Amino acid sequence: MSPVQTGTSRFRRSALLGAVVATALGGGAILAACGTGGQNGASSGPARISVADEYIPLPPAGGMAAGYLTVRNDGGKDQLLKVTSPAAESVTMHRSTASTMEQVDSLDVPAHGALQLARGGNHLMIMGWQKAPALGDELELDLTFAKSGTISVKVPVKELTYRPGQS
Ligand SMILES: [Cu+2]
């Protein structure tokens, strides 16, 4: 899915180094949890990222939009570092706490798990549209990961009440 093929040998070395550091810090449980059936401990392998359930609820004219998606990972851990869009000036990552939300510089993508950006939780905030989004538009988001490079997704604009799993 990644359009960017990173240099595999350099990549493997840093991934292995990461595993050594994690073990030294007492992260053995991570390896144990992911160790079944993997060659050389699955969590030390490359991240294998894909994006699912992406959508943007229709924003008020010219206004700020939220962006939701799920980053799935069938490999070692990764980190979402940056999101940009050619359709908007600014895309930021936010984490919701009990009563408020805060902008963050990165979001962790767990090994053999998923990073969820969903209503009420982590989300993207998108501002400064080149052109007001309309229902049915597909807006490009470019997600940059620490290990997996940049992945571009076309994100459909949906009704405000949309939930993933509906058509
Ligand atoms: Cu926010």
Side-chain angles (χ1 to χ4, degrees), residues 64-66 92-96 100-103 121-126:
M64 182 187 307
T92 50
M93 297 180 278
H94 286 229
R95 177 162 52 209
S96 288
T100 181
M101 63 180 179
E102 57 185 3
Q103 188 174 332
N122 300 326
H123 55 277
L124 303 175
M125 296 194 77
I126 310 166

Side-chain angles (χ1 to χ4, degrees), residues 113-131:
L115 165 65
Q116 301 259 13
L117 303 183
R119 293 177 191 272
N122 300 326
H123 55 277
L124 303 175
M125 296 194 77
I126 310 166
M127 291 181 276
W129 299 106
Q130 314 287 344
K131 167 182 157 307

Side-chain angles (χ1 to χ4, degrees), residues 84-91 126-130 140:
T84 59
S85 174
E89 271 169 33
S90 142
V91 183
I126 310 166
M127 291 181 276
W129 299 106
Q130 314 287 344
E140 180 180 330

Side-chain angles (χ1 to χ4, degrees), residues 51-167:
V51 176
D53 291 339
E54 64 276 9
Y55 70 103
I56 292 171
L58 181 68
M64 182 187 307
Y68 302 115
L69 51 84
T70 299
V71 178
R72 292 186 183 147
N73 184 9
D74 295 322
K77 67 181 176 183
D78 205 341
Q79 238 186 347
L80 178 59
L81 297 180
K82 188 176 69 166
V83 182
T84 59
S85 174
E89 271 169 33
S90 142
V91 183
T92 50
M93 297 180 278
H94 286 229
R95 177 162 52 209
S96 288
T97 62
S99 58
T100 181
M101 63 180 179
E102 57 185 3
Q103 188 174 332
V104 293
D105 292 330
S106 67
L107 291 168
D108 290 339
V109 183
H112 298 276
L115 165 65
Q116 301 259 13
L117 303 183
R119 293 177 191 272
N122 300 326
H123 55 277
L124 303 175
M125 296 194 77
I126 310 166
M127 291 181 276
W129 299 106
Q130 314 287 344
K131 167 182 157 307
L135 281 180
D137 283 356
E138 297 216 315
L139 303 168
E140 180 180 330
L141 290 181
D142 302 316
L143 286 67
T144 300
F145 295 89
K147 294 180 179 171
S148 301
T150 299
I151 295 176
S152 293
V153 287
K154 293 285 189 189
V155 183
V157 176
K158 298 286 195 179
E159 296 82 3
L160 273 176
T161 54
Y162 174 83
R163 296 283 191 284
Q166 303 172 343
S167 53

